[in-house]
Amino acid sequence: MKDRPIKTIQWGIIGLGKIAHKFAQDILTVPDAQLYAVASRSQNNADQRPCNDTDSESFDGVNYASALTINLTLNTDSYAKETSWEFKDSNNTILDGYSYNPSDNNKTFDYSFDVIPNECYTFTIFDSFGDGLCCANNNGEGSYELRTDNNTIITNYTGDFGSERSTTISTTTLGISNYFVTNKFSLFPNPTSADLKIKVRTINDLPDSILVFNMLGQTMISKKVSTTEDLNINTSHFSEGMYFVKIVKDNASVALPFIKK
């Protein structure tokens, strides 16, 4: 029998769980296979843009790339002198801010901040007493709201937020890498015995194509995606085992594992 060249296949696993564990176990049955684990010591090392990692609001992939200005409306409580705020960029440079006086009690203030694309901003409001814009001892209740120039509400809050509250605002234009994050692709049911569906968050921005591979890297299915119907995969003729769905958009892709039972 003639020797044949060994074909190298590279796969990646993102996250932990039963599927990753089973995949790692199956690797042991492949002669000369190698399994690598890669981890990051900190979020800052893993992410080159850490300004959108944490937020008091639910970020959930939302950004405000089209915004030219961010508008703030603030209603002070009866102790305005305790209230102040800052508006910073990703370099922690304070672009705007204000501290109030007793003469500002129970008043409404409006502000507008110019913003640029591909930047992360942080708005932080402070209260020196520690009860936010709230109503201790009937001192009145204040509120504030941040919104874009087309009146999309970024956040609004009324009452007690403690000593401070921050909101991160990203004007980063979504690139193709963000496409997969924003759409949150998932497979169901998984495991499956027949039909497998690819769940996509944004149906008006479908992937270009999908491919299905087995553990040996062999292509089982390859098709272009024109409608949501193309996101359905018939696996009834597949043998039991682990497979991968490769979702392609432009020149980028992501592979999701599933089990045929």
Side-chain angles (χ1 to χ4, degrees):
M1 184 175 178
K2 294 182 178 180
D3 293 334
R4 295 182 179 179
I6 298 175
K7 183 179 180 180
T8 301
I9 302 172
Q10 296 180 337
W11 291 100
I13 304 176
I14 300 176
L16 303 175
K18 292 182 179 179
I19 293 177
H21 179 67
K22 168 120 176 81
F23 178 81
Q25 284 184 320
D26 289 342
I27 282 290
L28 297 177
T29 66
V30 181
D32 300 321
Q34 294 179 318
L35 180 66
Y36 296 90
V38 180
S40 174
R41 294 176 59 89
S42 69
Q43 180 67 26
N44 286 342
N45 288 338
D47 190 347
Q48 296 302 311
R49 200 169 187 80
C51 62
N52 60 2
D53 295 337
T54 58
D55 193 356
S56 59
E57 300 301 299
S58 175
F59 189 71
D60 199 25
V62 176
N63 69 59
Y64 305 93
S66 62
L68 298 177
T69 58
I70 302 298
N71 299 313
L72 166 67
T73 297
L74 188 146
N75 301 302
T76 58
D77 59 13
S78 296
Y79 277 78
K81 67 178 183 179
E82 299 169 356
T83 303
S84 61
W85 56 264
E86 295 176 344
F87 188 72
K88 297 181 178 181
D89 62 15
S90 58
N91 294 318
N92 282 326
T93 301
I94 299 176
L95 305 178
D96 206 341
Y98 196 79
S99 297
Y100 296 93
N101 302 306
S103 59
D104 297 325
N105 292 351
N106 302 307
K107 291 183 179 179
T108 298
F109 297 87
D110 291 299
Y111 307 91
S112 182
F113 316 124
D114 292 331
V115 294
I116 61 175
N118 298 314
E119 180 60 277
C120 286
Y121 300 92
T122 303
F123 173 84
T124 304
I125 186 168
F126 305 93
D127 184 81
S128 60
F129 187 77
D131 64 350
L133 294 168
C134 196
C135 37
N137 301 318
N138 296 317
N139 290 327
E141 188 171 53
S143 64
Y144 73 93
E145 178 179 277
L146 287 168
R147 61 191 180 278
T148 65
D149 41 14
N150 65 358
N151 286 324
T152 298
I153 295 177
I154 300 171
T155 186
N156 52 27
Y157 202 89
T158 300
D160 190 354
F161 56 78
S163 296
E164 66 178 80
R165 185 173 188 264
S166 294
T167 299
T168 301
I169 305 163
S170 173
T171 59
T172 302
T173 302
L174 287 180
I176 192 62
S177 60
N178 299 77
Y179 170 80
F180 297 105
V181 176
T182 302
N183 278 284
K184 294 185 176 180
F185 290 101
S186 60
L187 306 177
F188 71 97
N190 189 7
T192 183
S193 58
D195 291 333
L196 181 73
K197 299 181 184 297
I198 302 175
K199 185 177 180 181
V200 58
R201 183 177 180 183
T202 307
I203 61 174
N204 61 349
D205 192 11
L206 297 174
D208 297 331
S209 61
I210 57 174
L211 301 91
V212 180
F213 297 94
N214 61 17
M215 289 288 292
L216 299 177
Q218 298 169 326
T219 301
M220 308 293 292
I221 293 176
S222 177
K223 61 179 179 178
K224 294 185 180 296
V225 177
S226 300
T227 69
T228 54
E229 292 297 319
D230 296 322
L231 299 178
N232 298 328
I233 302 171
N234 182 6
T235 68
S236 59
H237 59 290
F238 288 12
S239 301
E240 292 185 357
M242 175 170 284
Y243 297 85
F244 295 87
V245 176
K246 185 178 182 181
I247 303 169
V248 181
K249 182 69 172 180
D250 293 339
N251 294 320
S253 64
V254 63
L256 303 178
F258 73 93
I259 294 175
K260 169 64 189 306
K261 62 181 181 179

